[in-house]
Amino acid sequence: MQEFTHDAPPGREQAVTDEVVASFAGAPDDRLREIVQSLTRHLHAFAREVRLTEREWAAGIEFLTGAGHITDDKRQEFVLLSDVLGLSMLTVAINAPAAPEATESTVFGPFFVEGAPEVPLGGDIAQGAKGVPCWVSGSVRSTDGSPLAGARIDVWEADEDGFYDVQYAGDRTAGRGRLRAGAGGEYRFWSVRPSPYPIPDDGPVGRLLAATGRGPMRPAHLHLRVEAPGHRTLVTHIFVAGDPYLDRDAVFGVKDDLVVEFAEHPPGTGPDGRELDTPWASARFDIVLEALE
Ligand code: BEZ
Ligand code: FE
């Protein structure tokens, strides 16, 4: 009687990998060929390392199918998957600016929306988002120190309940806006003090986190995308110092240089003369964009 061992003969396994890699050899685009051949090698090595069973791979396909079914124009489960696997932050690290003075980047996340309202300098991006009023200011400069007048700054954030506007029913825009830096590269706006929140965890990615004993929380943050001609576009966050989730961000996005003190103020007059009848907060964050040759 033939004896079956757990491991198939390594030669037979390698032959499958070799055949698939060779099948891509004729890809006319060099970069595409490099990527699909490398992907094949690494995927096959993974399956061999864990001795993937057919049942497990069927569960994997079911997981990916579930991610596809829950994805629509407002919910992007594949971005979440990339984020919780650290692939988003690894890609950020691989493509990080060479200049050490440049502001560090972090994950883009799934909640950016094109076409956010233009807000004048000193304007309020909250637009009804719930939370403690928060004054954010700073400057945008190039790596040589020169101010980047007119730099475009997109800002977006969750409200104090931890939800972005797009997570609510209806089309209300709140907690997001687009500003232009002033003549000296300065910027300032009102928003709400960021709050920690869970990434959407009612789908396959949430079930993966639960099954592996990981949490869905992100530390409080405000998203920024900053663009200026001749400079590398920066995608980053401002994190709040003291947040309990700074050392366990579900998507690994925290970098020390992005953590900022948010000052607390009693009711009174804000820095722009606004009268506040509630406590408010403020933070300063200076931005340096890497000049491209
Ligand atoms: C966010 O910060 O908006 C975010 C990032 C990654 C996954 C989910 C949300
Ligand atoms: Fe966020």
Side-chain angles (χ1 to χ4, degrees):
M1 205 173 84
Q2 186 172 350
E3 204 180 299
F4 289 96
T5 58
H6 181 61
D7 293 348
R12 192 161 78 203
E13 295 176 9
Q14 189 58 45
V16 177
T17 306
D18 292 346
E19 193 178 350
V20 180
V21 170
S23 75
F24 288 121
D29 184 294
D30 289 349
R31 180 65 174 155
L32 178 62
R33 185 174 60 250
E34 182 186 1
I35 288 174
V36 290
Q37 288 188 324
S38 176
L39 179 67
T40 302
R41 281 192 212 97
H42 286 271
L43 269 180
H44 286 214
F46 151 73
R48 290 171 70 170
E49 181 182 316
V50 301
R51 308 308 306 162
L52 190 67
T53 68
E54 284 158 318
R55 210 175 144 151
E56 287 162 348
W57 182 224
I61 289 181
E62 202 180 311
F63 175 90
L64 293 171
T65 305
H69 283 158
I70 204 170
T71 294
D72 59 22
D73 58 342
K74 293 196 169 159
R75 172 74 181 260
Q76 231 306 353
E77 197 73 359
F78 291 99
V79 173
L80 293 184
L81 180 58
S82 162
D83 293 341
V84 303
L85 291 179
L87 192 54
S88 302
M89 279 310 289
L90 179 60
T91 309
V92 166
I94 290 168
N95 294 283
E101 321 86 292
T103 301
E104 298 231 62
S105 28
T106 188
V107 280
F108 192 54
F111 295 122
F112 175 76
V113 176
E114 283 297 351
E118 299 264 354
V119 178
L121 269 187
D124 192 347
I125 68 146
Q127 295 299 317
K130 259 171 62 185
V132 172
C134 183
W135 175 255
V136 182
S137 62
S139 61
V140 186
R141 296 184 176 275
S142 179
T143 27
D144 69 2
S146 55
L148 291 173
R152 197 168 80 181
I153 307 169
D154 285 301
V155 188
W156 66 106
E157 65 167 339
D159 65 15
E160 76 175 3
D161 292 330
F163 293 109
Y164 287 82
D165 51 2
V166 291
Q167 294 177 282
Y168 289 100
D171 290 331
R172 186 178 67 115
T173 297
R176 64 180 75 239
R178 169 170 286 182
L179 301 107
R180 296 239 170 228
E186 77 283 5
Y187 75 89
R188 51 188 176 272
F189 60 90
W190 284 101
S191 63
V192 293
R193 188 180 58 201
S195 300
Y197 66 84
I199 65 170
D201 64 348
D202 57 344
V205 169
R207 290 195 285 280
L208 173 67
L209 292 177
T212 52
R214 282 179 49 186
M217 293 302 290
R218 292 217 66 205
H221 61 273
L222 192 107
H223 293 255
L224 297 173
R225 183 177 73 176
V226 189
E227 292 169 90
H231 289 76
R232 184 195 287 267
T233 295
L234 171 70
V235 171
T236 196
H237 294 3
I238 308 176
F239 290 99
V240 181
D243 187 284
Y245 298 102
L246 283 173
D247 63 350
R248 52 203 147 113
D249 182 0
V251 304
F252 311 101
V254 179
K255 290 178 175 168
D256 290 350
D257 289 352
L258 305 179
V259 179
V260 166
E261 290 292 339
F262 278 62
E264 303 292 336
H265 307 279
T269 310
D272 59 344
R274 174 175 169 180
E275 287 303 327
L276 295 119
D277 54 12
T278 60
W280 54 285
S282 67
R284 181 172 174 96
F285 186 68
D286 294 325
I287 296 161
V288 177
L289 299 190
E290 184 182 42
L292 299 171
E293 289 96 65

